[in-house]
Amino acid sequence: MSATKRRVAASVLLQLALVAWGGGSASAIDDYTLPFYNPAVALSFGVDRDRTVGRQLDWTGQVWNDGVPHPGRVYDQHSGVDYPMALRSEVAAAKDGTVIDTEGSFGTSQFGNFGNFVLLQHSDGRRTLYYHLASAAEGGIGVAISDAVVAGQRIGRSGCSGICYGAHLHFEMLAWNSTAKAYRPADPLAERRWTTWPGRVPFDAAYVRESNSGTEVIAQWRTITHWVEFRNTGGRTWRNSSTVGRIGLGTWSPAAHSSLFRASDWPSTWIATYLDVAAVAPDAVGRFTFGLRGSQPLGSYRETFNLVAQSVHWFDHARLGGFYVPILISNLPSCETAGSAPARTSVTGHPALRLALAPVC
Ligand SMILES: [Zn+2]
């Protein structure tokens, strides 16, 4: 079939198959990652937010009704976002979820409906669709129904199966519409549910190092300065700003509890500090410096710290719990034993700092 005929067929099928824009909440949560790894991939077409045939409305509010394709914008009745990419490029899950449907029997560039796809269900009630994948035989489908996937995990490879006239990934976000009692296309661009880094979760971190690498004693009522460095392995820039993306180091396990070691420089009873510098881009290392003050009573404590990004939900601590900073407080009942704190031990994959809380002698 010629490109023109296929385009016409695609348009008719889309009009038949796709019900109008169902909307969704307009909250900007930034909790989805781009569904691929190659940062050079550009947007080809976005979601048409206007159900009127012949009238195209993109996520910026721009109306396009001249009937001519506008790359990077929308085409009529388009319900997803198109990303051009070479055949068999890696496709990633946009969010943690469960595989609820797949199709992999079409050829990689075979014409017919939406071709090979993966459909994921997410815990926020939304679904994401990945259309036009390569065939299962060619590695296009990397998951099976009921598989649990995490954001950024490879779930398949791109193709040009289904209605496709150029290799690309058609990515679609679906939101439940309670009026229609059906899933309807939502617009991830309009809702700004994206990281800036393809294939990565928005906020992730890896422990790098910390100050005071040996055993250290905090005399009671004194304050020491401590710092810890993390690499930004997520998709968003860390910021020390009261607007979006402010990263702090807070007590953890349990979250938000007041620390016995809170020093006067802490911004709150459970936030030890915010990022030292204004911004840390993905892959760069950021330092967090804070005081630890010896308080009372003397005793054995395990104080843990972890990163938070304004809302604690922005870091998935259930999955990323391995990078927290454990501080073990040794019981020092007398002045004579103040210098004999236990040796360093490995607790969570990096050495735990042991702080001995000593009496004033
Ligand atoms: Zn598309």
Side-chain angles (χ1 to χ4, degrees), residues 2-282:
S2 74
T4 303
K5 283 182 178 173
R6 290 178 71 161
R7 199 177 291 267
V8 170
S11 175
V12 170
L13 273 175
L14 282 167
Q15 287 174 30
L16 289 173
L18 301 177
V19 280
W21 162 252
S25 78
S27 58
I29 299 178
D30 265 338
D31 56 354
Y32 282 69
T33 181
L34 288 171
F36 47 83
Y37 300 100
N38 180 359
V41 169
L43 171 67
S44 179
F45 291 102
V47 176
D48 181 7
R49 304 185 67 210
D50 189 325
R51 66 183 66 194
T52 308
V53 176
R55 189 169 184 273
Q56 296 136 261
L57 179 68
D58 74 9
W59 71 96
T60 67
Q62 175 70 53
V63 175
W64 306 91
N65 56 2
D66 55 8
V68 177
H70 296 275
R73 298 300 181 178
V74 301
Y75 67 84
D76 207 16
Q77 301 284 292
H78 191 225
S79 57
V81 182
D82 287 346
Y83 296 102
M85 57 182 70
L87 291 177
R88 288 180 285 282
S89 299
E90 291 187 311
V91 172
K95 186 178 173 67
D96 293 11
T98 304
V99 180
I100 57 173
D101 202 3
T102 68
E103 170 59 60
S105 65
F106 295 103
T108 290
S109 58
Q110 184 178 340
F111 179 77
N113 291 334
F114 296 114
N116 304 313
F117 66 87
V118 171
L119 174 62
L120 302 182
Q121 176 73 55
H122 305 292
S123 60
D124 62 359
R126 288 165 183 265
R127 293 177 171 180
T128 52
L129 266 169
Y130 310 77
Y131 279 145
H132 310 314
L133 301 176
S135 68
E138 293 184 275
I141 309 297
V143 290
I145 292 174
S146 300
D147 281 359
V149 298
V150 299
Q153 177 179 332
R154 187 179 75 80
I155 57 171
R157 290 184 182 277
S158 65
C160 194
S161 57
I163 299 168
C164 174
Y165 32 89
H168 74 286
L169 171 69
H170 171 110
F171 173 80
E172 194 160 322
M173 175 184 286
L174 302 169
W176 179 255
N177 183 304
S178 55
T179 304
K181 292 187 167 46
Y183 282 92
R184 293 285 187 261
D187 189 344
L189 294 166
E191 298 186 19
R192 299 172 58 201
R193 288 176 172 271
W194 297 114
T195 77
T196 54
W197 194 289
R200 286 193 178 183
V201 297
F203 290 98
D204 199 354
Y207 172 87
V208 177
R209 60 177 181 158
E210 63 196 286
S211 63
N212 308 326
S213 58
T215 298
E216 187 166 19
V217 172
I218 311 176
Q220 198 171 23
W221 314 124
R222 302 279 170 74
T223 296
I224 64 163
T225 297
H226 189 65
W227 54 256
V228 58
E229 291 179 344
F230 295 96
R231 186 175 304 282
N232 179 357
T233 53
R236 296 197 66 81
T237 295
W238 294 349
R239 299 190 186 283
N240 183 349
S241 140
S242 58
T243 57
V244 173
R246 190 177 208 185
I247 307 298
L249 186 72
T251 58
W252 195 260
S253 186
H257 80 95
S258 298
S259 174
L260 286 173
F261 304 94
R262 174 165 66 107
S264 59
D265 62 347
W266 288 31
S268 80
T269 60
W270 72 281
I271 295 289
T273 185
Y274 293 107
L275 183 65
D276 284 7
V277 296
V280 173

Side-chain angles (χ1 to χ4, degrees), residues 205-207 230 306 316-326 347-350:
Y207 172 87
F230 295 96
N306 216 333
D316 181 353
H317 292 283
R319 181 148 58 90
L320 307 175
F323 64 73
Y324 63 70
V325 182
V347 174
T348 60
H350 65 83

